[in-house]
């Protein structure tokens, strides 16, 4: 791979920056930086602005109405958006479901769902994990039994992010108990307003409500809402989970933490000297810089392999290494930011839905950072737990 600066990528970055400067309304910007969360109507508004620009699906190929950007351009776009503090897009729809619909859905299903994804008018959640079926997803037990032109779905999902505000869910169900477990799974699209669906919150240590338990009690789903053939669910899931490894480290977020922790270290607190003068603190920051540079290079390598459509075990192993090292660094850096805040802990742990308070000291770097640090505990679990990633690396290295 080539480590020379890519001038065309730099020009692309400038275009994205100019767009964000001109088109990102100030009332939508900066919530993440301020430690508050964007409510759904703001996400929809931002999605509408992106769509106007022709960037409604930044991660999709041109043939599917996307931007056709390559992996490095997509990463640069994400980084600029994080730096500008845009609301996030509906990642479930954009990065997971969208590519599945484009690859496997019927023309009717595409006509029904794709325009809503571009316009941000239908929010999706992912109904895969169940109690006892997380890493071993193929053991899932939620049943869908055929009854004429409907399936009747019974069972429970867990850890369903944003189910409480989603309009639809993409769901894995068991349609056949007689075959090998992977072969008995199907992929359904379900309207969350269908009778029989109950969503219960799981409150997490970051004081936010992202997670839920989702129950299905005799939920009738039209057979026309099945993507692919009956029993294709596992094939579709493998396609969906294979889509993007280069983003697993969340490089834009790591860069944001770096900016925060250096700003904090340089800041003087009254008469006390700036922390950067403390050799231990300076050494730790230098270590983070070095690790961040290594992660950024690994992202480039993984992106280059993705661009080349390399799905070999070695390429997967690199993606897994990136996931482990990137998420561990997220945890250590966010902890260091909170540690550096010392007495300003309460500013760092505000109610996430509250608007930013007036002029609290350190608010520009502190607010929401403790919530963020607690949330990042989960990053070594979601998207494939670290132990499972280590298994992938070992199998690739030792050809098990
Ligand atoms: C914040 C968050 C958001 C999530 N959002 C969603 C969502 O929107 N939709 C959804 O469907 N799911 C979601 N999940 C669930 C997530 O995919 C699972 O938590 C994850 O797959 C792990 O499964 P599990 O929790 O059942 O743990 P388990 O699979 O039971 O694992 C328990 C422990 O055993 C270890 N382990 C398991 N298998 C192996 C193995 N083969 N080798 C070595 N060690 C192993 C694990 O590493 C872990 O330490 C979310 C999870 C989190 C934390």
């Amino acid at each position: 791979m080539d480590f020379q600066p890519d001038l065309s990528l730099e020009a692309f970055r400038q275009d994205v920056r100019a767009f964000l400067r001109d088109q990102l309304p100030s009332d939508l910007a900066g919530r993440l930086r301020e430690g508050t969360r964007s409510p759904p109507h703001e996400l929809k508004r931002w999605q509408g602005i992106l769509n106007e620009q022709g960037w409604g699906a930044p991660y999709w190929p041109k043939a599917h109405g996307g931007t056709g950007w390559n992996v490095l351009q997509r990463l640069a776009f994400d980084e600029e958006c994080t730096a500008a503090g845009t609301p996030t897009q509906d990642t479930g729809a954009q990065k997971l479901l969208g590519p599945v619909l484009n690859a496997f859905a019927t023309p009717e299903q595409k006509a029904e769902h794709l325009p809503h994804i571009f316009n941000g008018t239908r929010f999706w959640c992912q109904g895969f994990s169940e109690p006892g079926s997380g890493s071993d997803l193929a053991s899932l037990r939620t049943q869908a039994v055929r009854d004429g032109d409907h399936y009747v779905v019974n069972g429970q999902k867990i850890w369903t992010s944003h189910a409480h505000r989603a309009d639809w869910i993409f769901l894995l169900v068991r349609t056949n108990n007689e075959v090998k477990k992977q072969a008995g799974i199907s992929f359904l699209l379900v309207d969350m307003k269908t009778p029989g669906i109950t969503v219960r919150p799981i409150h997490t240590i970051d004081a936010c409500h992202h997670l839920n338990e989702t129950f299905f009690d005799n939920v009738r789903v039209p057979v026309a809402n099945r993507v692919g053939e009956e029993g294709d669910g596992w094939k579709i899931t493998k396609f969906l989970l294979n889509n993007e490894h280069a983003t697993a480290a969340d490089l834009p977020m790591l860069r944001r933490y770096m900016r925060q922790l250096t700003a904090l270290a340089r800041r003087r607190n009254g008469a006390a000297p700036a922390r950067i003068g403390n050799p231990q603190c300076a050494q730790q920051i230098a270590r983070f810089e070095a690790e961040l540079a290594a992660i950024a290079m690994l992202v480039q390598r993984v992106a280059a392999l993705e661009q080349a459509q390399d799905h070999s075990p070695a390429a997967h192993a690199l993606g897994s290494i990136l996931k482990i090292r990137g998420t561990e660094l997220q945890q250590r850096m966010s902890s260091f930011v909170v540690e550096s805040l010392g007495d300003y802990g309460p500013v760092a742990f505000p109610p996430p839905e509250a608007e930013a308070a007036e002029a609290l000291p350190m608010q520009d770097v502190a607010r929401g950072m403790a919530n963020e640090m607690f949330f990042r505990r989960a990053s070594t679990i979601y998207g494939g737990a670290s132990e499972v990633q280590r298994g992938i690396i070992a199998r690739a290295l030792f050809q098990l």
Side-chain angles (χ1 to χ4, degrees), residues 96 124-137 157-163 169-170 172 204 206 210-212 241 375 377-391 395:
L96 302 177
W124 287 86
C125 61
Q126 177 188 3
F128 283 15
S129 305
E130 297 182 4
S133 302
S135 305
D136 179 18
L137 188 57
K157 297 291 171 179
I158 196 166
W159 314 123
T160 334
S161 298
H162 309 298
I169 184 168
F170 50 99
L172 290 183
T204 41
D206 60 352
H210 337 253
L211 295 175
N212 302 279
L241 296 176
F375 176 72
R377 300 308 95 188
S379 65
T380 45
I381 301 172
Y382 60 71
S386 291
E387 292 81 357
V388 173
Q389 304 296 342
R390 288 193 174 92
R395 278 193 294 282

Side-chain angles (χ1 to χ4, degrees), residues 215-275:
F215 297 88
F216 297 82
D217 183 14
N218 287 322
V219 175
R220 293 185 70 80
V221 181
V223 171
N225 288 11
R226 188 191 66 220
V227 180
E229 296 301 319
E230 204 169 274
D232 274 355
W234 194 248
K235 179 177 85 180
I236 295 174
T237 303
K238 284 207 311 199
F239 169 88
L240 173 154
L241 296 176
N242 254 340
N243 253 332
E244 210 146 272
H245 293 294
T247 53
D250 206 342
L251 185 59
M253 196 54 74
L254 289 173
R255 291 206 200 279
R256 185 191 125 196
Y257 295 159
M258 198 68 221
R259 285 193 292 274
Q260 281 175 292
L261 64 87
T262 43
L264 269 173
R266 289 203 187 103
R267 189 169 295 199
R268 295 188 59 152
N269 186 8
R275 290 184 75 235

Side-chain angles (χ1 to χ4, degrees), residues 27-39 42 85 354-355:
D27 61 318
L28 291 192
R31 274 199 184 271
L32 200 65
R33 274 200 315 266
E34 291 161 6
T36 55
R37 311 253 157 195
S38 301
E42 289 191 3
E355 294 298 320

Side-chain angles (χ1 to χ4, degrees), residues 76-299:
F77 174 74
D78 282 350
E79 237 175 77
E80 295 304 323
C81 285
T82 304
T86 69
T88 45
Q89 287 181 278
D90 179 358
T91 38
Q94 290 280 338
K95 293 191 174 169
L96 302 177
L97 179 66
V100 164
L101 292 178
N102 284 319
F104 298 98
T106 61
E108 293 75 21
Q109 289 168 337
K110 288 182 188 170
E112 168 66 32
H113 296 295
L114 292 178
H116 287 290
I117 296 184
F118 281 107
N119 291 311
T121 40
R122 191 171 278 172
F123 271 94
W124 287 86
C125 61
Q126 177 188 3
F128 283 15
S129 305
E130 297 182 4
S133 302
S135 305
D136 179 18
L137 188 57
S139 67
L140 63 90
R141 283 169 300 169
T142 294
Q143 288 282 338
V145 175
R146 188 83 181 247
D147 179 23
D149 55 2
H150 281 74
Y151 287 107
V152 180
V153 179
N154 280 290
Q156 184 198 343
K157 297 291 171 179
I158 196 166
W159 314 123
T160 334
S161 298
H162 309 298
H164 56 300
R165 58 185 210 189
D167 303 301
W168 281 64
I169 184 168
F170 50 99
L171 191 67
L172 290 183
V173 290
R174 185 156 298 287
T175 40
N176 190 340
N177 295 306
E178 307 300 321
V179 290
K180 195 174 144 215
K181 60 184 180 179
Q182 285 82 356
I185 296 172
S186 298
F187 191 103
L188 301 182
L189 308 175
V190 184
D191 185 338
M192 288 294 279
K193 289 187 293 300
T194 319
I197 300 180
T198 309
V199 176
R200 285 201 204 135
I202 301 174
H203 293 288
T204 41
I205 194 170
D206 60 352
C208 293
H209 175 197
H210 337 253
L211 295 175
N212 302 279
E213 293 179 289
T214 313
F215 297 88
F216 297 82
D217 183 14
N218 287 322
V219 175
R220 293 185 70 80
V221 181
V223 171
N225 288 11
R226 188 191 66 220
V227 180
E229 296 301 319
E230 204 169 274
D232 274 355
W234 194 248
K235 179 177 85 180
I236 295 174
T237 303
K238 284 207 311 199
F239 169 88
L240 173 154
L241 296 176
N242 254 340
N243 253 332
E244 210 146 272
H245 293 294
T247 53
D250 206 342
L251 185 59
M253 196 54 74
L254 289 173
R255 291 206 200 279
R256 185 191 125 196
Y257 295 159
M258 198 68 221
R259 285 193 292 274
Q260 281 175 292
L261 64 87
T262 43
L264 269 173
R266 289 203 187 103
R267 189 169 295 199
R268 295 188 59 152
N269 186 8
R275 290 184 75 235
I276 195 72
N278 172 333
Q280 265 181 329
C281 172
Q283 196 178 45
Q284 180 58 71
I285 291 178
R287 283 217 175 98
F288 281 142
E289 289 245 21
E291 285 187 72
L292 184 53
I295 294 281
M297 270 190 224
L298 192 51
V299 166

